[in-house]
């Protein structure tokens, strides 16, 4: 199987699985606990159907959107993810370049493996910096200042990771940074030698967003240690309100799931919120962002840009989310498997296929602009959900 044989999410996943040592593949592929939420994230899209209109003259489609002041040529962006150079030696460089090719936004994680400054200098598409809140307030200010000076457009604070999710696949393989592999995990690396050759023949692994501020050289200072020792589990709305004031620009919270929290985010001056359950990697048994989307759009959609991520694999998933009122959607594994499978050409192919799917699906739906997608385009199968929808439409 080669890159040209990859036509959809599952194909890229299969190729990534062939290329990566098991522990790394499972780090990307896994979720928390029993992975119920992880599976539901994508299934949620199958609980409703699209209703196409015909004969609308759909020759030219404009799928651009504006979110948090950033114009994106397509309504999906690359959500920030950790450790990308472990998946392919090009890492964030490949993702940023592919996102630039399609003129969309990309996120750089606090646990990213290429510096936010390098990426900001090289690329002109909008960049998000994903932030975790540290106990040391001085460190928070210094890191925000650094992102400001680099010219990062959007600050994104992840709020669903107040403690690490229980990823049992990683416990079984011994995946952690630094590696503490089980025997089974080591064997998995031994049977994929190309990964190891690539790893040792390319630039040394680093976490440049952190290593200037935090000693991540090993022992207690592992990523696990970073979460338990450095991050602040007492973070509250007042802390975030102070951060929003200090940043004084586009600021969004990633991991909002309730109407009450969405309202508070709007009140403290956030310009965006992202409904997310971290791709099913944090609280298993939590609701899917797609199921929760309409409620939150109705409550705050006129005050903040509402986005969602988790579970998106298809153009039709994007159209369904936009029909419920999302301004744009984020993807994680959708570009991570292609990255692992083939580096930058892989990510470009995945984004290109997604763009083509969205365009084709918009034409088949009889719309030429994203704002023509409305709830009238959707029908929920479950009569209870449908009643809720009817109620909302009437209100
Ligand atoms: C391997 C991996 C690493 C991730 N790392 C981060 C991270 O460092 N910060 C963060 O806010 N979200 C992180 N996420 C969550 C993504 O930003 C996004 O919310 C999630 O992947 C969306 O779900 P999807 O993979 O089903 O598209 C990560 C997700 C994956 C799969």
């Amino acid at each position: 199987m080669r890159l040209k044989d990859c036509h959809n999410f599952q194909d890229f996943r299969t190729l990534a699985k062939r290329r990566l040592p098991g522990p790394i593949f499972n780090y990307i592929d896994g979720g928390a606990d029993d992975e119920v939420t992880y599976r539901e994230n994508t299934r949620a899209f199958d609980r409703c159907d699209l209703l196409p209109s015909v004969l609308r003259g759909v020759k030219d489609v404009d799928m651009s959107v504006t979110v948090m002041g950033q114009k994106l040529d397509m309504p999906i962006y690359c959500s920030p993810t950790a450790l990308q150079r472990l998946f392919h030696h090009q890492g964030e460089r490949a993702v940023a370049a592919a996102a630039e090719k399609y003129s969309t936004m990309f996120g750089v994680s606090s646990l990213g493996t290429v510096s936010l400054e390098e990426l900001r200098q090289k690329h002109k598409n909008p960049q998000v910096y994903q932030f975790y809140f540290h106990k040391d307030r001085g460190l928070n200010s210094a890191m925000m200042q650094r992102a400001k000076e680099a010219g990062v457009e959007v600050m994104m604070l992840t709020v669903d990771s107040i403690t690490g999710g229980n990823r049992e696949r990683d416990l079984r393989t011994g995946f952690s940074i630094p590696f503490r592999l089980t025997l089974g995990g080591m064997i998995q690396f031994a049977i994929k030698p190309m990964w190891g050759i690539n790893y040792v023949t390319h630039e040394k692994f680093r976490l440049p967003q952190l290593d200037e501020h935090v000693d991540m050289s090993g022992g207690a200072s592992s990523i696990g240690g970073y979460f338990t020792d450095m991050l602040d589990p007492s973070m509250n709305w007042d802390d975030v309100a102070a951060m929003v004031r200090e940043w004084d620009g586009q600021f969004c919270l990633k991991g909002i799931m309730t109407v009450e929290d969405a309202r508070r985010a709007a009140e403290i001056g956030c310009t965006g919120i992202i409904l997310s359950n971290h791709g099913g990697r944090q609280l298993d048994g939590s609701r899917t962002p797609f199921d929760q989307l309409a409620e939150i759009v109705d409550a705050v959609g006129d005050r903040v840009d509402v986005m969602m991520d988790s579970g998106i694999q298809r153009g039709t998933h994007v159209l369904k989310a936009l029909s419920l009122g999302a301004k744009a959607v984020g993807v994680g594994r959708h570009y991570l498997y292609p990255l692992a499978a083939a580096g930058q050409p892989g990510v470009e192919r995945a984004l290109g296929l997604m763009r083509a799917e969205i365009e084709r699906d918009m034409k088949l739906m009889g719309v030429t602009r994203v704002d023509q997608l409305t709830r009238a385009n959707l029908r929920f199968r479950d009569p209870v959900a449908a009643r809720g929808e009817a109620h909302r439409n009437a209100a």
Side-chain angles (χ1 to χ4, degrees):
M1 188 185 198
R2 283 177 300 173
L3 182 58
K4 68 176 180 43
D5 303 316
C6 293
H7 302 290
N8 63 32
F9 182 92
Q10 293 303 337
D11 294 339
F12 286 111
R13 179 177 178 276
T14 304
L15 190 53
K17 192 172 185 178
R18 286 191 195 168
R19 301 251 158 111
L20 286 176
I24 299 185
F25 175 78
N26 280 301
Y27 170 69
I28 300 174
D29 195 59
D33 292 3
D34 298 314
E35 304 189 343
V36 175
T37 292
Y38 176 27
R39 286 190 295 276
E40 281 304 303
N41 279 341
T42 303
R43 283 189 191 155
F45 292 100
D46 295 336
R47 291 196 272 271
C48 68
D49 299 305
L50 291 161
L51 267 183
S53 298
V54 297
L55 304 178
R56 294 271 182 99
V58 290
K59 189 166 148 290
D60 299 311
V61 167
D62 172 8
M63 66 173 82
S64 66
V65 292
T66 300
V67 277
M68 296 178 294
Q70 316 304 313
K71 176 153 185 290
L72 316 183
D73 278 1
M74 62 178 178
I76 75 153
Y77 62 89
C78 298
S79 191
T81 56
L83 310 180
Q84 290 177 16
R85 281 203 297 115
L86 268 194
F87 315 146
H88 186 281
H89 63 84
Q90 295 170 344
E92 288 82 354
R93 294 183 180 110
V95 177
E100 181 173 36
K101 178 168 173 182
Y102 288 97
S103 211
T104 191
M105 188 163 77
F106 67 101
V108 179
S109 167
S110 281
L111 298 170
T113 52
V114 175
S115 83
L116 63 94
E117 287 88 354
E118 179 191 321
L119 297 166
R120 187 58 303 165
Q121 276 159 24
K122 271 198 199 150
H123 304 287
K124 53 184 189 309
N125 44 330
Q127 180 175 333
V128 166
Y129 178 38
Q130 178 272 318
F131 200 80
Y132 288 119
F133 191 81
H134 303 89
K135 288 178 188 157
D136 178 347
R137 304 299 196 262
L139 178 58
N140 290 334
S141 289
M143 291 174 88
M144 278 205 286
Q145 186 58 31
R146 188 178 151 184
K148 197 79 186 177
E149 280 164 15
V152 165
E153 284 83 358
V154 178
M155 179 59 74
M156 179 185 279
L157 180 70
T158 299
V159 289
D160 60 13
S161 304
I162 204 80
T163 185
N166 178 39
R167 320 236 175 105
E168 292 176 3
R169 295 202 214 181
D170 296 345
L171 298 179
R172 283 193 197 97
T173 61
F175 180 92
S176 67
I177 301 291
F179 288 135
R180 287 198 192 86
L181 297 174
T182 57
L183 180 62
M186 280 183 218
I187 293 169
Q188 291 293 313
F189 274 80
I191 60 175
K192 299 277 167 65
M194 273 317 288
W195 182 90
I197 292 168
N198 261 318
Y199 184 72
V200 294
T201 54
H202 288 94
E203 178 194 339
K204 189 170 175 288
F205 184 80
R206 287 176 56 222
L207 297 173
Q209 271 56 262
L210 293 179
D211 57 13
E212 211 178 86
H213 309 281
V214 183
D215 177 14
M216 297 289 283
S217 55
S221 308
S222 62
I223 287 189
Y226 169 70
F227 272 86
T228 47
D229 302 336
M230 307 279 305
L231 301 187
D232 190 352
S234 65
M235 168 173 74
N236 62 29
W237 285 101
D238 293 337
D239 295 320
V240 180
M243 265 187 91
V244 172
R245 283 195 298 275
E246 191 174 337
W247 177 254
D248 192 24
Q250 299 291 338
F251 193 111
C252 59
L253 295 182
K254 172 169 176 284
I256 292 290
M257 284 299 288
T258 69
V259 165
E260 190 193 349
D261 285 349
R263 288 206 172 106
R264 288 193 88 161
E267 277 158 24
I268 63 167
C270 291
T271 51
I273 54 170
I274 295 135
L275 278 72
S276 170
N277 55 35
H278 220 101
R281 297 162 74 81
Q282 287 295 107
L283 179 65
D284 196 29
S286 63
R287 200 164 192 231
T288 76
F290 183 68
D291 285 328
Q292 193 62 354
L293 184 58
E295 223 177 277
I296 292 192
V297 168
D298 290 345
V300 298
D302 55 345
R303 287 193 281 163
V304 291
D305 285 344
V306 179
M307 291 151 279
M308 68 151 281
D309 71 38
S310 299
I312 285 159
Q313 300 182 0
R314 279 284 184 198
T316 48
H317 299 162
V318 178
L319 261 54
K320 286 176 179 180
L322 298 174
S323 297
L324 285 187
K327 288 272 160 63
V329 302
V331 288
R333 295 177 183 88
H334 184 271
Y335 74 83
L336 285 178
Y337 297 129
L339 172 67
Q344 187 176 330
V347 184
E348 285 183 1
R349 182 168 172 87
L351 292 181
L353 287 170
M354 178 57 101
R355 195 192 149 84
E357 267 189 39
I358 295 172
E359 183 172 349
R360 181 169 49 245
D361 296 339
M362 284 176 72
K363 285 184 175 173
L364 291 171
M365 283 294 292
V367 299
T368 51
R369 289 194 326 265
V370 163
D371 63 10
Q372 293 166 349
L373 290 164
T374 70
R375 293 186 196 173
N377 307 136
L378 285 183
R379 289 290 180 280
F380 282 82
R381 293 180 185 179
D382 171 357
V384 177
R387 271 204 301 282
E389 219 28 57
H391 173 74
R392 266 195 291 279
N393 288 338

